[in-house]
Amino acid sequence: MPDLTIRQYGDPVLKERTREVENIDGAVATLVESMIETMYAAPGTGLAANQVGVQRRIFVYDVGDGARTIINPRIVESDGEWLYDEGCLSVPGLSWEIVRPNAVHMVGLDLDGNEISIEATELEGRVFQHELDHLDGILLVERLDDAQRKDALKILRSRSMDLGPSDPDGLSKLLKL
């Protein structure tokens, strides 16, 4: 059982930009191991450090080739457009079609401190963009168009107030008082 808790929508830590990792040491390796375990248990495709309350620029992911880690990631190039249904471990059970670039070129460091450079498309590229957004304090609800965002916020508000899905505005609960 993972020892980390995934922070949910509304937690202020998710809105903060994370800080660069200066020293890749045993503490970072231990954090990464726990993040991978937490990601798999969720289950998810990617997990950023601030989603588990750690304000460092680290994310883990697995798009089918085994778990990988990118430290201090940056996207240096992007191209194209791809509409895809995207969800988030910090906004569980919900997903929306979101347009993002189809191809990205990401640079960063691996767990050994070596520079890495990865050109990714489709799902892998989307995971990179999604996790980098987390590290920049941006949630996927901020990537929605106006109509999607309005619906999403209604659902998320009802969750935070513990309202049932059939009563997203809380009126039924108020009428029973």
Side-chain angles (χ1 to χ4, degrees):
M1 182 167 178
D3 59 347
L4 299 174
T5 301
I6 297 174
R7 304 296 180 93
Q8 302 296 306
Y9 177 85
D11 189 319
V13 75
L14 296 171
K15 300 292 291 170
E16 298 173 18
R17 188 176 197 290
T18 56
R19 296 184 308 275
E20 296 279 322
V21 175
E22 294 177 16
N23 297 313
I24 301 173
D25 56 16
V28 170
T30 300
L31 170 64
V32 165
E33 281 182 40
S34 295
M35 286 175 62
I36 291 169
E37 185 179 322
T38 301
M39 175 185 69
Y40 285 143
T45 309
L47 185 67
N50 59 334
Q51 286 182 276
V52 294
V54 178
Q55 292 303 98
R56 293 290 183 261
R57 295 188 76 73
I58 302 170
F59 75 81
V60 297
Y61 72 101
D62 185 346
V63 291
D65 299 322
R68 299 206 172 140
T69 304
I70 302 182
I71 299 169
N72 298 336
R74 290 182 300 117
I75 291 177
V76 294
E77 203 174 343
S78 63
D79 187 44
E81 213 175 72
W82 190 40
L83 178 69
Y84 188 77
D85 196 47
E86 190 171 331
C88 179
L89 295 176
S90 292
V91 188
L94 300 175
S95 63
W96 298 273
E97 285 193 336
I98 297 174
V99 176
R100 291 190 187 261
N102 183 41
V104 296
H105 181 183
M106 178 165 276
V107 296
L109 302 172
D110 66 14
L111 261 178
D112 295 320
N114 300 313
E115 289 186 19
I116 55 175
S117 175
I118 304 169
E119 292 186 12
T121 60
E122 296 186 353
L123 182 60
E124 186 177 37
R126 179 158 302 255
V127 169
F128 288 177
Q129 293 170 79
H130 181 100
E131 300 310 327
L132 188 57
D133 272 358
H134 273 299
L135 299 178
D136 289 336
I138 300 168
L139 287 171
L140 89 154
V141 294
E142 296 173 57
R143 296 285 182 203
L144 303 177
D145 65 35
D146 290 340
Q148 289 173 314
R149 187 176 304 108
K150 182 178 177 183
D151 290 342
L153 293 176
K154 186 185 290 186
I155 292 166
L156 294 167
R157 257 192 313 276
S158 72
R159 282 184 177 181
S160 70
M161 295 173 61
D162 198 29
L163 302 174
S166 63
D167 187 23
D169 58 7
L171 291 178
S172 296
K173 189 173 187 178
L174 290 173
L175 292 173
K176 292 179 184 178
L177 295 177

